[in-house]
mmCIF file of all heavy atoms in Angstrom:
data_model
loop_
_atom_site.group_PDB
_atom_site.id
_atom_site.type_symbol
_atom_site.label_atom_id
_atom_site.label_comp_id
_atom_site.label_asym_id
_atom_site.label_seq_id
_atom_site.Cartn_x
_atom_site.Cartn_y
_atom_site.Cartn_z
ATOM 1 N N ARG K 19 -9.395 -4.324 -10.000
ATOM 2 C CA ARG K 19 -10.538 -4.278 -9.159
ATOM 3 C C ARG K 19 -10.339 -3.159 -8.094
ATOM 4 O O ARG K 19 -11.309 -2.530 -7.790
ATOM 5 C CB ARG K 19 -10.841 -5.595 -8.573
ATOM 6 C CG ARG K 19 -11.358 -6.666 -9.431
ATOM 7 C CD ARG K 19 -11.299 -8.010 -8.737
ATOM 8 N NE ARG K 19 -11.737 -9.165 -9.614
ATOM 9 C CZ ARG K 19 -13.012 -9.617 -9.663
ATOM 10 N NH1 ARG K 19 -13.820 -9.278 -8.811
ATOM 11 N NH2 ARG K 19 -13.295 -10.580 -10.439
ATOM 12 N N ASN K 20 -9.239 -3.019 -7.619
ATOM 13 C CA ASN K 20 -8.952 -1.857 -6.694
ATOM 14 C C ASN K 20 -7.755 -1.159 -7.199
ATOM 15 O O ASN K 20 -6.552 -1.427 -6.980
ATOM 16 C CB ASN K 20 -8.570 -2.507 -5.256
ATOM 17 C CG ASN K 20 -8.384 -1.450 -4.205
ATOM 18 O OD1 ASN K 20 -8.392 -0.191 -4.532
ATOM 19 N ND2 ASN K 20 -8.325 -1.921 -2.929
ATOM 20 N N ARG K 21 -7.975 -0.028 -7.963
ATOM 21 C CA ARG K 21 -7.030 0.731 -8.633
ATOM 22 C C ARG K 21 -6.023 1.406 -7.684
ATOM 23 O O ARG K 21 -4.850 1.753 -8.075
ATOM 24 C CB ARG K 21 -7.653 1.799 -9.579
ATOM 25 C CG ARG K 21 -8.661 1.194 -10.528
ATOM 26 C CD ARG K 21 -8.103 0.250 -11.519
ATOM 27 N NE ARG K 21 -9.163 -0.096 -12.443
ATOM 28 C CZ ARG K 21 -9.524 0.432 -13.587
ATOM 29 N NH1 ARG K 21 -8.926 1.553 -13.907
ATOM 30 N NH2 ARG K 21 -10.518 -0.033 -14.371
ATOM 31 N N SER K 22 -6.501 1.640 -6.465
ATOM 32 C CA SER K 22 -5.580 2.372 -5.577
ATOM 33 C C SER K 22 -4.752 1.480 -4.738
ATOM 34 O O SER K 22 -3.979 1.922 -3.888
ATOM 35 C CB SER K 22 -6.509 3.177 -4.555
ATOM 36 O OG SER K 22 -7.328 2.273 -3.707
ATOM 37 N N ALA K 23 -4.836 0.138 -5.006
ATOM 38 C CA ALA K 23 -4.003 -0.800 -4.178
ATOM 39 C C ALA K 23 -2.620 -1.024 -4.795
ATOM 40 O O ALA K 23 -2.185 -2.069 -5.122
ATOM 41 C CB ALA K 23 -4.778 -2.184 -4.092
ATOM 42 N N VAL K 24 -1.907 0.149 -4.842
ATOM 43 C CA VAL K 24 -0.491 0.057 -5.424
ATOM 44 C C VAL K 24 0.324 1.001 -4.640
ATOM 45 O O VAL K 24 -0.118 1.908 -3.941
ATOM 46 C CB VAL K 24 -0.551 0.543 -6.896
ATOM 47 C CG1 VAL K 24 -1.421 -0.296 -7.805
ATOM 48 C CG2 VAL K 24 -1.096 2.023 -7.038
ATOM 49 N N VAL K 25 1.690 0.717 -4.722
ATOM 50 C CA VAL K 25 2.717 1.552 -4.327
ATOM 51 C C VAL K 25 3.596 1.971 -5.424
ATOM 52 O O VAL K 25 4.106 1.071 -6.179
ATOM 53 C CB VAL K 25 3.530 0.911 -3.170
ATOM 54 C CG1 VAL K 25 4.746 1.798 -2.851
ATOM 55 C CG2 VAL K 25 2.686 0.736 -1.880
ATOM 56 N N ALA K 26 3.723 3.255 -5.824
ATOM 57 C CA ALA K 26 4.552 3.566 -6.922
ATOM 58 C C ALA K 26 5.131 5.030 -6.667
ATOM 59 O O ALA K 26 4.290 5.929 -6.114
ATOM 60 C CB ALA K 26 3.697 3.591 -8.246
ATOM 61 N N PRO K 27 6.282 5.376 -6.980
ATOM 62 C CA PRO K 27 7.300 4.459 -7.432
ATOM 63 C C PRO K 27 7.933 3.645 -6.200
ATOM 64 O O PRO K 27 8.312 4.283 -5.349
ATOM 65 C CB PRO K 27 8.378 5.245 -8.170
ATOM 66 C CG PRO K 27 8.176 6.657 -7.531
ATOM 67 C CD PRO K 27 6.788 6.761 -7.019
ATOM 68 N N MET K 28 7.915 2.338 -6.391
ATOM 69 C CA MET K 28 8.284 1.501 -5.276
ATOM 70 C C MET K 28 9.731 1.722 -4.712
ATOM 71 O O MET K 28 9.978 1.494 -3.593
ATOM 72 C CB MET K 28 8.168 -0.003 -5.670
ATOM 73 C CG MET K 28 8.929 -0.483 -6.808
ATOM 74 S SD MET K 28 8.509 -2.182 -7.269
ATOM 75 C CE MET K 28 9.559 -2.455 -8.651
ATOM 76 N N HIS K 29 10.620 2.099 -5.725
ATOM 77 C CA HIS K 29 12.086 2.289 -5.214
ATOM 78 C C HIS K 29 12.311 3.569 -4.504
ATOM 79 O O HIS K 29 13.312 3.887 -4.091
ATOM 80 C CB HIS K 29 12.984 2.040 -6.431
ATOM 81 C CG HIS K 29 12.884 0.655 -6.976
ATOM 82 N ND1 HIS K 29 13.234 -0.445 -6.269
ATOM 83 C CD2 HIS K 29 12.553 0.251 -8.238
ATOM 84 C CE1 HIS K 29 13.196 -1.474 -7.031
ATOM 85 N NE2 HIS K 29 12.629 -1.079 -8.242
ATOM 86 N N GLU K 30 11.302 4.537 -4.558
ATOM 87 C CA GLU K 30 11.475 5.806 -3.995
ATOM 88 C C GLU K 30 10.650 6.080 -2.701
ATOM 89 O O GLU K 30 10.669 7.181 -2.308
ATOM 90 C CB GLU K 30 11.171 6.789 -5.023
ATOM 91 C CG GLU K 30 12.015 6.688 -6.265
ATOM 92 C CD GLU K 30 11.531 7.737 -7.395
ATOM 93 O OE1 GLU K 30 10.890 8.749 -6.981
ATOM 94 O OE2 GLU K 30 11.705 7.516 -8.535
ATOM 95 N N VAL K 31 10.029 5.034 -2.229
ATOM 96 C CA VAL K 31 9.297 5.174 -0.924
ATOM 97 C C VAL K 31 10.011 4.281 0.167
ATOM 98 O O VAL K 31 10.702 3.312 -0.170
ATOM 99 C CB VAL K 31 7.853 4.807 -1.120
ATOM 100 C CG1 VAL K 31 7.174 5.641 -2.153
ATOM 101 C CG2 VAL K 31 7.716 3.240 -1.478
ATOM 102 N N SER K 32 9.702 4.559 1.416
ATOM 103 C CA SER K 32 10.304 3.879 2.458
ATOM 104 C C SER K 32 9.619 2.503 2.734
ATOM 105 O O SER K 32 8.495 2.330 2.328
ATOM 106 C CB SER K 32 10.311 4.790 3.706
ATOM 107 O OG SER K 32 8.998 4.915 4.245
ATOM 108 N N ASP K 33 10.286 1.637 3.433
ATOM 109 C CA ASP K 33 9.615 0.400 3.868
ATOM 110 C C ASP K 33 8.516 0.677 4.710
ATOM 111 O O ASP K 33 7.458 -0.031 4.695
ATOM 112 C CB ASP K 33 10.678 -0.525 4.570
ATOM 113 C CG ASP K 33 11.743 -1.071 3.514
ATOM 114 O OD1 ASP K 33 11.554 -0.800 2.416
ATOM 115 O OD2 ASP K 33 12.635 -1.803 4.136
ATOM 116 N N ARG K 34 8.593 1.759 5.560
ATOM 117 C CA ARG K 34 7.556 1.996 6.484
ATOM 118 C C ARG K 34 6.244 2.481 5.637
ATOM 119 O O ARG K 34 5.135 2.113 6.063
ATOM 120 C CB ARG K 34 7.893 3.147 7.411
ATOM 121 C CG ARG K 34 6.869 3.577 8.438
ATOM 122 C CD ARG K 34 6.645 2.411 9.447
ATOM 123 N NE ARG K 34 5.466 2.628 10.247
ATOM 124 C CZ ARG K 34 4.988 1.740 11.113
ATOM 125 N NH1 ARG K 34 5.707 0.724 11.489
ATOM 126 N NH2 ARG K 34 4.003 2.030 11.890
ATOM 127 N N THR K 35 6.454 3.188 4.581
ATOM 128 C CA THR K 35 5.239 3.641 3.803
ATOM 129 C C THR K 35 4.534 2.405 3.158
ATOM 130 O O THR K 35 3.298 2.478 3.140
ATOM 131 C CB THR K 35 5.837 4.563 2.604
ATOM 132 O OG1 THR K 35 6.309 5.723 3.284
ATOM 133 C CG2 THR K 35 4.640 4.956 1.730
ATOM 134 N N VAL K 36 5.353 1.486 2.696
ATOM 135 C CA VAL K 36 4.660 0.311 2.012
ATOM 136 C C VAL K 36 3.923 -0.504 3.181
ATOM 137 O O VAL K 36 2.830 -0.968 2.964
ATOM 138 C CB VAL K 36 5.705 -0.540 1.416
ATOM 139 C CG1 VAL K 36 5.140 -1.809 0.774
ATOM 140 C CG2 VAL K 36 6.492 0.200 0.290
ATOM 141 N N LEU K 37 4.592 -0.621 4.372
ATOM 142 C CA LEU K 37 3.873 -1.365 5.460
ATOM 143 C C LEU K 37 2.586 -0.600 5.816
ATOM 144 O O LEU K 37 1.574 -1.257 6.034
ATOM 145 C CB LEU K 37 4.868 -1.441 6.675
ATOM 146 C CG LEU K 37 4.223 -1.937 7.938
ATOM 147 C CD1 LEU K 37 3.892 -3.442 7.757
ATOM 148 C CD2 LEU K 37 5.221 -1.749 9.098
ATOM 149 N N GLU K 38 2.598 0.623 5.921
ATOM 150 C CA GLU K 38 1.351 1.412 6.241
ATOM 151 C C GLU K 38 0.335 1.223 5.213
ATOM 152 O O GLU K 38 -0.855 1.146 5.528
ATOM 153 C CB GLU K 38 1.732 2.868 6.509
ATOM 154 C CG GLU K 38 2.418 3.079 7.786
ATOM 155 C CD GLU K 38 2.987 4.571 7.911
ATOM 156 O OE1 GLU K 38 2.799 5.311 6.850
ATOM 157 O OE2 GLU K 38 3.570 4.946 8.987
ATOM 158 N N ARG K 39 0.754 1.221 3.982
ATOM 159 C CA ARG K 39 -0.245 1.000 2.856
ATOM 160 C C ARG K 39 -0.914 -0.319 2.984
ATOM 161 O O ARG K 39 -2.047 -0.569 2.812
ATOM 162 C CB ARG K 39 0.393 1.179 1.497
ATOM 163 C CG ARG K 39 -0.539 1.148 0.347
ATOM 164 C CD ARG K 39 -1.357 2.367 0.282
ATOM 165 N NE ARG K 39 -2.382 2.287 -0.745
ATOM 166 C CZ ARG K 39 -3.763 2.013 -0.481
ATOM 167 N NH1 ARG K 39 -4.083 1.782 0.767
ATOM 168 N NH2 ARG K 39 -4.608 2.005 -1.481
ATOM 169 N N ALA K 40 -0.066 -1.419 3.305
ATOM 170 C CA ALA K 40 -0.576 -2.801 3.401
ATOM 171 C C ALA K 40 -1.502 -2.882 4.597
ATOM 172 O O ALA K 40 -2.601 -3.447 4.462
ATOM 173 C CB ALA K 40 0.557 -3.709 3.581
ATOM 174 N N ILE K 41 -1.179 -2.289 5.715
ATOM 175 C CA ILE K 41 -2.001 -2.333 6.903
ATOM 176 C C ILE K 41 -3.350 -1.514 6.693
ATOM 177 O O ILE K 41 -4.396 -1.933 7.043
ATOM 178 C CB ILE K 41 -1.307 -1.764 8.157
ATOM 179 C CG1 ILE K 41 -0.165 -2.687 8.529
ATOM 180 C CG2 ILE K 41 -2.267 -1.561 9.329
ATOM 181 C CD1 ILE K 41 0.734 -2.216 9.670
ATOM 182 N N ASP K 42 -3.170 -0.446 5.902
ATOM 183 C CA ASP K 42 -4.464 0.314 5.599
ATOM 184 C C ASP K 42 -5.386 -0.481 4.660
ATOM 185 O O ASP K 42 -6.559 -0.562 4.960
ATOM 186 C CB ASP K 42 -4.056 1.581 4.769
ATOM 187 C CG ASP K 42 -5.216 2.362 4.344
ATOM 188 O OD1 ASP K 42 -5.954 2.828 5.239
ATOM 189 O OD2 ASP K 42 -5.365 2.608 3.075
ATOM 190 N N LEU K 43 -4.829 -1.222 3.727
ATOM 191 C CA LEU K 43 -5.660 -2.086 2.838
ATOM 192 C C LEU K 43 -6.279 -3.211 3.767
ATOM 193 O O LEU K 43 -7.513 -3.480 3.521
ATOM 194 C CB LEU K 43 -4.842 -2.750 1.801
ATOM 195 C CG LEU K 43 -4.367 -1.792 0.666
ATOM 196 C CD1 LEU K 43 -3.370 -2.494 -0.178
ATOM 197 C CD2 LEU K 43 -5.616 -1.314 -0.099
ATOM 198 N N LEU K 44 -5.489 -3.811 4.663
ATOM 199 C CA LEU K 44 -6.111 -4.786 5.464
ATOM 200 C C LEU K 44 -7.180 -4.269 6.381
ATOM 201 O O LEU K 44 -8.192 -4.948 6.645
ATOM 202 C CB LEU K 44 -4.945 -5.464 6.358
ATOM 203 C CG LEU K 44 -3.953 -6.233 5.587
ATOM 204 C CD1 LEU K 44 -2.732 -6.613 6.432
ATOM 205 C CD2 LEU K 44 -4.579 -7.527 5.101
ATOM 206 N N GLY K 45 -7.051 -3.066 6.878
ATOM 207 C CA GLY K 45 -7.972 -2.438 7.695
ATOM 208 C C GLY K 45 -9.294 -2.168 6.971
ATOM 209 O O GLY K 45 -10.399 -2.286 7.572
ATOM 210 N N GLN K 46 -9.174 -1.804 5.652
ATOM 211 C CA GLN K 46 -10.343 -1.632 4.848
ATOM 212 C C GLN K 46 -11.140 -2.976 4.658
ATOM 213 O O GLN K 46 -12.342 -2.954 4.549
ATOM 214 C CB GLN K 46 -9.989 -1.058 3.461
ATOM 215 C CG GLN K 46 -9.411 0.216 3.523
ATOM 216 C CD GLN K 46 -8.888 0.679 2.237
ATOM 217 O OE1 GLN K 46 -9.330 0.173 1.179
ATOM 218 N NE2 GLN K 46 -8.034 1.627 2.090
ATOM 219 N N LYS K 47 -10.485 -4.075 4.695
ATOM 220 C CA LYS K 47 -11.105 -5.318 4.441
ATOM 221 C C LYS K 47 -11.685 -5.939 5.739
ATOM 222 O O LYS K 47 -12.699 -6.648 5.830
ATOM 223 C CB LYS K 47 -10.154 -6.355 3.800
ATOM 224 C CG LYS K 47 -10.774 -7.737 3.546
ATOM 225 C CD LYS K 47 -9.670 -8.647 2.900
ATOM 226 C CE LYS K 47 -10.323 -10.024 2.670
ATOM 227 N NZ LYS K 47 -9.397 -10.947 2.006
ATOM 228 N N CYS K 48 -10.812 -5.825 6.951
ATOM 229 C CA CYS K 48 -11.159 -6.550 8.112
ATOM 230 C C CYS K 48 -11.728 -5.566 9.170
ATOM 231 O O CYS K 48 -11.113 -4.438 9.496
ATOM 232 C CB CYS K 48 -9.939 -7.200 8.707
ATOM 233 S SG CYS K 48 -9.134 -8.374 7.461
#
């Protein structure tokens, strides 16, 4: 349903990058 809601490659990005992606997705919804 949301093709962009991914982090890849997950082992090559920082924890901060994943956190920012999650917050960005939450901001799109809320």
Side-chain angles (χ1 to χ4, degrees):
R19 292 171 183 258
N20 187 353
R21 309 294 182 89
S22 65
V24 297
V25 170
M28 60 184 175
H29 296 299
E30 299 178 23
V31 299
S32 68
D33 290 356
R34 183 69 194 179
T35 297
V36 181
L37 173 63
E38 290 173 351
R39 185 72 186 102
I41 292 176
D42 178 60
L43 289 170
L44 290 166
Q46 294 174 21
K47 179 181 179 181
C48 303

